[in-house]
Amino acid sequence: MLTQRLILTGDERHDRPLIEQAGAIIRAGGLVAFPTETVYGLGADAYNPVALQRIFHAKGRPAWDPLIVHVVNHEQILDLTSRLPDLAIPLIQRFMPGSLTLILPKSERVSTIITAGRDTVGIRMPSHPVARALIRASGVPIAAPSANKFGRPSPTNADHVLQDLAGEIEAVLDAGETPHGVESTILDLTTKPPTLLRPGAVPLEAIEEAIGTVRLLTEMIPAGQSLPAPGTMARHYAPRVPLLLSAPTPEAFYGTVKDALAQYEWVGVLRPRGWSLPQSENLVVFEWGSWGEWDTLAQKLFYALRWLEGQSVHAIVAPLPPAEGLARAVRDRLVRASHRE
Ligand code: TXA
Ligand code: MG
């Protein structure tokens, strides 16, 4: 299959026919990758079981890992859920559209392919105008995981999507870089108190401000053990080479890079602005941004991992951000990406 790259310009008259074309592909049971404000998604008609199976096949994703469903209005949320827990209302009002995925009791309309046999469904209403236009043009909710091969860093541009999925999907809507660069925050509303399943682009602190205390999943689950929730396995988002993490000080970072150079021939680094590095010709440096500017660092994270890997380094070094605000999501992705198995 030849994957079409549908390049959007932001000009409504130019983009409209391309989005209509993509919507028609979804309605016909095809797969379209599309930008959201977090990362690119790999979309299919949420009501078409054959198309849903194709998502798992294209991604190489195990059938036990459920998909989230992308909606554009409240009516679609009601179609997909059997009951809205009380806390859903303030969260929907405040964060939808936005980068929050809610786990809710599913309605009968939701296929068990989406939920991997669970009785809950993940729902998200993206804010990216292209994602919204595509869902409208399709006329159906769109089931979509991130548009990468299973376990790889999520794609933040159309080139990344094509690196992983060219030849396996009908089209990608190319609207350039995604603004947040880390995935949505996932909150399970079927537990009391609600459980944070994945820190993401909406900070935990903002959610707690809206609904009070949220339970955290703190432990890392070793591969092979049963998971409290799918997708919480330790190794994920991983580049193809070892990722070494340092404490978040310039001194610790310098030391970890030095150790890495003693162990590996070519070393890639995600370097915070102004942090010094050992003298070496065997370093490949990605200028990450100012430490503490988490929106910039989050936006560049997956791009940096893919770029460094493309430079054929043997290991990558990064400092580990603190567990607060948006930094919590960056920290989570780095910790998972650093697990060897
Ligand atoms: O920002 C995002 O959320 C992106 C964009 C494309 O919307 N999507 C995304 O999807 O990151 P995915 O499939 O890569 O990650 C969604 C996670 C998976 O780890 C999955 O296990 C979990 O959500 N999930 C989905 N449905 C669930 C459910 N019913 N219960 C618990 N976890 C669920
Ligand atoms: Mg993913």
Side-chain angles (χ1 to χ4, degrees), residues 22-96:
I25 295 172
I26 297 270
R27 272 200 305 281
L31 301 181
V32 176
F34 62 98
T36 78
E37 73 281 11
T38 58
V39 300
Y40 276 72
L42 167 57
D45 176 356
Y47 293 138
N48 181 333
V50 178
L52 294 171
Q53 296 284 17
R54 284 192 58 205
I55 292 181
F56 287 87
H57 188 252
K59 255 195 94 124
R61 182 173 181 129
W64 51 257
D65 199 357
L67 305 175
I68 64 183
V69 183
H70 296 67
V71 301
V72 74
N73 56 41
H74 293 163
E75 195 186 321
Q76 289 179 332
I77 299 179
L78 295 176
D79 287 343
L80 294 163
T81 53
S82 60
R83 180 181 63 81
L84 281 188
D86 290 343
L87 294 179
I89 310 296
L91 290 171
I92 290 169
Q93 278 171 351
R94 172 123 180 232
F95 298 110
M96 293 194 180

Side-chain angles (χ1 to χ4, degrees), residues 36 38-41 59 61 65-68 70 101 103 118 120-122 124 144-146 183-184 186 197-198 229-231:
T36 78
T38 58
V39 300
Y40 276 72
K59 255 195 94 124
R61 182 173 181 129
D65 199 357
L67 305 175
I68 64 183
H70 296 67
T101 298
I103 307 297
R118 295 170 174 252
T120 57
V121 60
R124 147 157 153 74
S146 50
E183 303 86 344
S184 63
I186 304 183
L197 295 183
R198 178 175 75 185

Side-chain angles (χ1 to χ4, degrees), residues 35-39 97-100 124-128 131 178-182 201:
T36 78
E37 73 281 11
T38 58
V39 300
S99 307
L100 178 66
R124 147 157 153 74
M125 189 187 290
S127 61
H128 196 292
T178 56
H180 293 322
V182 289

